Amino acid sequence: MLNFTIRRILGMIPTLLLISVVCFTVIQMQPGSFVDQYLDDPRVTKETVANITRQLGLDQPLWVQYLTWMKGIVTQGDFGFSFASGRPVSSLIWERLGWTVFLALLTLLVSWAIAVPLGIYTALNRYSKRSAALNFFGYVSLATPDFLVALLLIALVLKWGGSNVGGLFSPQFIDAPWSAAKVLDLMNHLWIPMIAIGLEGVAGLMRQMRASMLDVTGQDYVRTARAKGLAERQVMWKHAVRNAVNPLISLAGLSLPSLISGTIIASIVLNLPTIGPFLYDSLLNKDQYVAMTLLLFSALLLLIGNLLSDLALAWADPRVRFE
Amino acid sequence: MRRPTPLALITLTLMTAALAGTAHAAPKKISGYGTLGVTTGKQGGTYTLPLGDSPQSLFYYGVIDNNLGLVSQQLFDGLLEFNLATYKLEPALAESYTVSDGGTTYTFKLRQDVKWSDGQTFDADDVVFTYKNIIMNPEARAGDAASFKLDGKPVEISRVNQYTVKFELPRPSPAFLLQMRSFIMPKHKLLKFSEEGGAKPSDINGAWPTNSPESDVVGTGPFKLATYTAGQKVTLVRNPNYWKVDAAGTRLPYLDRLEFLIIRDPQAQVAQFLAGNLDQLNVSGAQFPDLKGKEVAGAPFKIMRSTALFGSPPFVAYNFDAKDPALAKVFSDVRFRRAMQGALNRERIIDTVYNGLASLPGHGVAPINKQWYANTKAQLGSFNVAATGQALDAMGLSKKNSAGIRLLPGGKPLEFDLTYATDSSTYPAMATIIQSDFAKAGVKVNLRGILNSKLFSTGLSGDWEMILHGFGDQPDPELRKPIWQPGGALYYWHRSLQPAKDGDKPNIAKMAAWEKDIYTIFEKAATTTNVGERKALYTRWQLLFAQNLPVTPIAKPENIGAVSNKYGNYVYNLGVIPGYNPVPLIYQK
């Protein structure tokens, strides 16, 4: 197992290198330059443009830019600096990472806690009216973009005279020290992003779980379990669900990169202080080291997510372990 | 009652003398804004404004960033500022100034009672430091080095004594005073980032990054930085040392706290305003009806309309140097531009796109700008597609193909792209109206949408045929010289006039006669100090503009601001206009 893990981790290095080259190339192919956004300011002359270009190292050949960046990462763990703010990329990401991870994990947790039981329920009661209603709800929420749900919720809250429309806190709590009131205020704001972002996940996962459960309940070993006289509850939870949940574990691993890029629009609409909008801006303005670091980070998360889900699968599924 | 002792009497006399001696150093009294509805307010309260994104730095001259500008405006002051009602320049950190030597020497006497928000004394050293190491430093990304070089020669700044600074210009420049609105920075905090302090000239851009301690960011403005929470909020608190008082002598600002909530999405800003989390919001004509409806229905806010001086009136431009030579020839022909103006339905655009909250435009000068505006309304003509058709026929564009599109002399159809911004609240609707009206005149327009942020760079690149764009109006036409003077850095509809290097002479030989006229007018006005002569020159420019239409202005949008009923003394401000800051007057009722 340890051997397997180490081999997988070493295998990530060439993959990441390749990804970094691809990211760099794609960003360079985007027309225009970082300096473009400043051109309509009357203070900016051709000389200013030349100076900024030189200060940012954009006058260097592309391969030099790439190698300098890579060298910084390998030798000093330095991921370059943001053109916009002049600060190291890593500190800028660090600033936003806390809330991003918190929100992503919470949504993941909430959507799992809701989706898995619902999936099981709809699979077991395939033809009931309630299942049909739940399935319909699943289709609708899968088809509704998260930002639209967010906008609808905001409109609803406004109509009810609420003031928790976006953000994570009321203005007066943003820079206040932690207190019971602040936590309460957070809870009061949190449910909107949870529903808006989580809903899509719930619908997808629920349908996954339902399909997988339907698959499993038709299997021979379930019939055998029933035939040998096990209680229905035991058949379901120990034999069916246990097997049906495996594909979902792989799925969870794949959802790790959505930490960064998953909810850009919803984050903008809901005004969440996460990494998504940061990535969006860096791509629009060609703030290349920020964009590259985030894309690379996202790729790394995907690889790690895969590894983790493989490990989790091995833990959950003896068949994987014994192979 | 005890009789005063001789000693006490002497002390009293001395104190009176001291007071009399420093009488000229009194704080600036802000009064006379009754026309703007300004009354005496009371101290206290918190006022919350939106910020479109996190500021990228806390150092104003290190990054060109509108959000940083909005915050900086409350933290710093310039030597001069605008009168809020008349837009005339008046003293700010400078208490008075004199112009001598035929308009080439400007001497500023500074206020003596001004303190930085950390208690240090503000004096001439700060001013000289700011101009020498920051504003005139070509490596400072948001500096303004180009404005301090006249005909290639630098402006010299020197310290006369602790409270006097002197600028010596190589030639007279009547708009020079407008540059004196630039924010002055504290030398004692920034010296280590400057060339004078031994750093590289470009190191100044690294001053005050967003994670620097709040106490480092020191200014003379009405507020000082209290906290910055990344991605969420910037909080400023009252600067007790501020140098302005109201009519009654109460020290400004009235507010205790000024908060900026970082909200990126304009719709989310409206939602936060409606929810009462924001106290003021600038809105567009498109958002007006909904908010006005809520106001009328009793919502606790007011929507204020004001005729705007600042703000960007949209125009359409045709590329004189279009890649297709046949199109370039037609676009360069003034008859074509005038004819197409007749197919530009300004009234409909004002009605439907701006909900009536716009008026007919000026030519390069806002109609409310009483000092410089020349009435060019007659030249705007009226909407008449039939007349456009006749004018195009008269130009020799009368042949049409089977689809009803006019044919160019080479036989190709008169068809071109209109480049506009898709992520704007007004441009897409305008583009569609133009497209359908031009089609009625037999001119086919294809819409080419791009991002607002790329509009200008696309203009400069020359890769467009017709463009929908806007440049902000300013109080003095001299400030807009790079835009409206043929061959200027921003005169992008006729790029072949631009010199190879900034500051060189443009390609005058290639200019049309009227362009040469406008060019000379701007050259002359830039060195004429006589106000009457300048007015005559700029009037002639506006008429030439209106007749020859280098660009065709469409409308001048009004400024609309929404403000919560909890606050008094609200005066509209567009955003970052250094020297125009009405926030110190706002008070919580």
Side-chain angles (χ1 to χ4, degrees):
Chain A
M1 195 69 178
L2 187 70
N3 217 333
F4 165 78
T5 316
I6 290 172
R7 237 181 323 131
R8 283 286 298 271
I9 291 178
L10 286 179
M12 282 180 192
I13 294 171
T15 320
L16 281 176
L17 268 177
L18 195 68
I19 291 172
S20 74
V21 174
V22 172
C23 290
F24 187 76
T25 320
V26 170
I27 291 173
Q28 295 307 330
M29 278 159 68
Q30 188 191 341
S33 127
F34 172 76
V35 190
D36 283 356
Q37 56 181 316
Y38 302 134
L39 290 177
D40 59 353
D41 191 292
R43 286 173 292 180
V44 175
T45 57
K46 285 208 180 74
E47 198 191 350
T48 322
V49 171
N51 282 338
I52 298 180
T53 310
R54 184 171 36 73
Q55 284 169 14
L56 299 177
L58 290 172
D59 54 344
Q60 308 277 325
L62 290 180
W63 59 272
V64 175
Q65 292 179 32
Y66 176 77
L67 287 183
T68 321
W69 183 62
M70 262 300 155
K71 197 175 134 207
I73 298 178
V74 176
T75 57
Q76 324 167 13
D78 171 11
F79 286 86
F81 62 99
S82 153
F83 290 169
S85 66
R87 286 177 53 194
V89 173
S90 43
S91 86
L92 288 166
I93 294 180
W94 185 246
E95 232 171 54
R96 292 163 173 81
L97 200 62
W99 283 118
T100 312
V101 171
F102 171 77
L103 280 170
L105 287 185
L106 201 64
T107 356
L108 202 69
L109 227 71
V110 168
S111 48
W112 269 62
I114 299 174
V116 172
L118 281 185
I120 297 173
Y121 178 85
T122 47
L124 295 183
N125 307 286
R126 232 191 307 185
Y127 302 110
S128 77
K129 278 198 183 121
R130 207 173 292 169
S131 286
L134 280 173
N135 277 328
F136 178 73
F137 161 78
Y139 280 126
V140 171
S141 45
L142 200 58
T144 322
D146 51 4
F147 65 90
L148 189 67
V149 178
L151 284 176
L152 289 173
L153 286 175
I154 288 178
L156 215 63
V157 168
L158 274 181
K159 197 161 171 57
W160 291 335
S163 66
N164 46 336
V165 286
L168 289 175
F169 298 103
S170 303
Q172 70 271 25
F173 283 113
I174 291 175
D175 46 11
W178 281 100
S179 64
K182 185 167 176 174
V183 174
L184 203 71
D185 187 63
L186 176 64
M187 292 300 152
N188 201 14
H189 282 78
L190 212 49
W191 64 271
I192 298 183
M194 282 301 106
I195 294 181
I197 305 171
L199 202 60
E200 217 174 318
V202 167
L205 276 172
M206 179 182 126
R207 301 198 53 72
Q208 252 329 305
M209 186 68 203
R210 176 174 176 270
S212 166
M213 193 68 188
L214 283 175
D215 219 29
V216 169
T217 44
Q219 295 285 332
D220 291 345
Y221 58 81
V222 173
R223 195 175 46 198
T224 311
R226 287 216 179 90
K228 69 181 179 187
L230 286 180
E232 183 63 22
R233 170 189 291 263
Q234 226 173 354
V235 174
M236 275 307 131
W237 291 103
K238 280 198 103 165
H239 295 259
V241 173
R242 182 73 199 276
N243 283 299
V245 89
N246 287 344
L248 266 75
I249 294 179
S250 328
L251 218 64
L254 290 177
S255 65
L256 211 55
S258 69
L259 261 181
I260 292 184
S261 53
T263 55
I264 294 182
I265 304 180
S267 286
I268 293 176
V269 171
L270 284 171
N271 201 31
L272 304 174
T274 59
I275 286 179
F278 185 47
L279 170 65
Y280 176 74
D281 274 353
S282 67
L283 285 172
L284 272 190
N285 295 333
K286 232 179 158 182
D287 197 342
Q288 61 186 26
Y289 299 130
V290 175
M292 264 151 55
T293 307
L294 284 173
L295 292 176
L296 205 60
F297 190 40
S298 159
L300 181 70
L301 284 178
L302 184 70
L303 293 175
I304 291 177
N306 262 330
L307 178 64
L308 287 181
S309 66
D310 281 355
L311 293 177
L313 208 58
W315 169 76
D317 189 344
R319 285 173 303 179
V320 177
R321 205 159 46 214
F322 293 142
E323 276 162 22
Chain B
M1 196 181 118
R2 281 177 59 187
R3 281 178 54 190
T5 59
L7 187 68
L9 267 177
I10 291 165
T11 322
L12 197 73
T13 326
L14 278 176
M15 271 172 64
T16 322
L19 278 174
T22 56
H24 65 280
K28 178 172 173 179
K29 187 172 260 190
I30 307 298
S31 58
Y33 288 131
T35 46
L36 294 176
V38 171
T39 57
T40 305
K42 66 176 173 59
Q43 206 114 44
T46 302
Y47 188 57
T48 311
L49 296 170
L51 207 57
D53 206 344
S54 311
Q56 294 166 359
S57 161
L58 295 171
F59 178 56
Y60 178 72
Y61 294 106
V63 290
I64 296 179
D65 173 11
N66 195 43
N67 300 303
L68 169 61
L70 285 171
V71 176
S72 300
Q73 208 168 8
Q74 305 302 337
L75 301 175
F76 304 97
D77 300 295
L79 294 181
L80 303 180
E81 63 183 2
F82 283 125
N83 180 295
L84 299 179
T86 62
Y87 300 106
K88 287 224 168 76
L89 283 173
E90 52 184 43
L93 285 179
E95 192 177 44
S96 64
Y97 61 90
T98 51
V99 188
S100 51
D101 298 337
T104 58
T105 303
Y106 289 77
T107 313
F108 292 88
K109 274 215 148 344
L110 306 180
R111 263 172 224 288
Q112 298 192 9
D113 57 338
V114 177
K115 288 211 161 31
W116 292 100
S117 51
D118 62 354
Q120 299 264 350
T121 307
F122 158 85
D123 63 21
D125 286 334
D126 294 305
V127 180
V128 174
F129 170 81
T130 302
Y131 277 97
K132 270 201 178 145
N133 288 276
I134 305 174
I135 300 177
M136 297 182 190
N137 174 359
E139 296 282 332
R141 291 192 199 154
D144 196 7
S147 296
F148 289 87
K149 268 202 171 150
L150 299 170
D151 305 333
K153 281 179 236 115
V155 171
E156 298 290 340
I157 174 173
S158 54
R159 174 189 191 272
V160 177
N161 60 42
Q162 200 193 351
Y163 291 108
T164 315
V165 286
K166 189 169 76 178
F167 290 82
E168 282 162 300
L169 280 55
R171 63 157 167 82
S173 167
F176 180 75
L177 279 177
L178 286 159
Q179 312 291 352
M180 296 293 106
R181 294 173 295 140
S182 303
F183 300 141
I184 304 298
M185 297 283 146
K187 180 178 180 179
H188 63 283
K189 288 285 181 188
L190 291 169
L191 185 64
K192 59 174 183 263
F193 299 100
S194 71
E195 208 177 351
E196 197 178 323
K200 285 200 306 282
S202 62
D203 287 350
I204 197 76
N205 296 315
W208 294 347
T210 44
N211 54 352
S212 48
E214 281 85 358
S215 58
D216 265 7
V217 184
V218 161
T220 55
F223 297 92
K224 56 183 182 180
L225 187 66
T227 52
Y228 168 59
T229 310
Q232 300 189 66
K233 191 166 108 171
V234 183
T235 305
L236 311 183
V237 293
R238 186 170 187 273
N239 173 6
N241 301 330
Y242 194 48
W243 47 272
K244 280 182 187 171
V245 295
D246 70 0
T250 313
R251 206 166 268 269
L252 294 174
Y254 292 124
L255 297 162
D256 280 340
R257 285 163 78 86
L258 180 63
E259 299 189 344
F260 290 94
L261 285 190
I262 297 164
I263 307 170
R264 304 168 46 103
D265 182 53
Q267 288 307 321
Q269 291 187 355
V270 175
Q272 292 280 19
F273 177 75
L274 291 175
N277 292 329
L278 289 177
D279 297 318
Q280 198 268 315
L281 185 67
N282 288 350
V283 297
S284 70
Q287 295 163 315
F288 177 81
D290 183 38
L291 284 171
K292 187 73 192 174
K294 291 203 162 72
E295 180 198 340
V296 173
F301 55 79
K302 267 192 190 58
I303 311 285
M304 320 272 236
R305 298 169 52 175
S306 56
T307 338
L309 192 153
F310 300 110
S312 304
F315 61 72
V316 287
Y318 305 93
N319 194 346
F320 291 26
D321 305 304
K323 289 209 175 76
D324 180 345
L327 268 183
K329 192 155 177 286
V330 168
F331 287 164
S332 311
D333 193 328
V334 66
R335 289 177 298 168
F336 172 78
R337 298 193 300 273
R338 265 191 226 144
M340 293 326 288
Q341 176 168 247
L344 197 62
N345 196 343
R346 292 195 170 93
E347 248 90 69
R348 181 169 164 210
I349 290 174
I350 291 171
D351 272 359
T352 60
V353 179
Y354 290 102
N355 285 307
L357 301 170
S359 47
L360 290 175
H363 290 85
V365 177
I368 185 146
N369 190 345
K370 295 200 184 73
Q371 196 181 357
W372 302 112
Y373 174 69
N375 192 337
T376 47
K377 288 234 158 68
Q379 273 80 13
L380 290 173
S382 57
F383 176 64
N384 187 343
V385 179
T388 300
Q390 284 158 13
L392 291 176
D393 288 348
M395 266 183 80
L397 296 167
S398 54
K399 271 197 225 127
K400 289 186 184 174
N401 68 9
S402 56
I405 303 168
R406 287 168 194 279
L407 296 176
L408 289 165
K412 271 200 281 180
L414 179 50
E415 174 180 355
F416 46 84
D417 287 347
L418 167 58
T419 303
Y420 72 102
T422 45
D423 54 340
S424 138
S425 63
T426 50
Y427 286 168
M430 263 189 266
T432 328
I433 292 177
I434 292 170
Q435 185 187 34
S436 83
D437 288 337
F438 277 26
K440 287 176 203 152
V443 176
K444 185 163 185 216
V445 172
N446 301 312
L447 298 186
R448 176 174 169 235
I450 59 171
L451 282 178
N452 210 351
S453 56
K454 302 285 175 207
L455 204 53
F456 186 72
S457 53
T458 305
L460 279 185
S461 73
D463 179 24
W464 55 280
E465 288 164 343
M466 178 186 183
I467 199 166
L468 189 53
H469 194 197
F471 282 115
D473 281 324
Q474 290 280 347
D476 194 302
E478 167 73 8
L479 290 178
R480 305 275 80 180
K481 191 174 153 198
I483 300 173
W484 303 123
Q485 185 182 36
L490 310 188
Y491 194 82
Y492 65 71
W493 34 93
H494 201 173
R495 280 198 321 151
S496 53
L497 302 183
Q498 288 171 348
K501 228 178 99 234
D502 270 358
D504 283 0
K505 248 192 178 348
N507 194 343
I508 297 175
K510 283 194 85 172
M511 286 182 190
W514 59 272
E515 282 182 315
K516 265 181 218 155
D517 283 353
I518 295 182
Y519 177 80
T520 335
I521 287 174
F522 272 100
E523 286 300 285
K524 247 191 230 159
T527 54
T528 308
T529 40
N530 183 316
V531 178
E533 271 173 51
R534 288 184 75 211
K535 167 102 185 169
L537 284 167
Y538 285 136
T539 302
R540 192 164 141 61
W541 157 58
Q542 289 172 66
L543 291 171
L544 280 169
F545 186 163
Q547 282 156 10
N548 295 289
L549 300 171
V551 308
T552 313
I554 298 174
K556 175 70 181 171
E558 280 177 24
N559 286 334
I560 310 160
V563 64
S564 155
N565 286 344
K566 281 192 295 189
Y567 299 88
N569 285 357
Y570 169 72
V571 175
Y572 182 89
N573 64 333
L574 177 80
V576 193
I577 308 286
Y580 194 90
N581 179 18
V583 175
L585 288 169
I586 287 172
Y587 71 96
Q588 191 167 348
K589 285 176 189 163

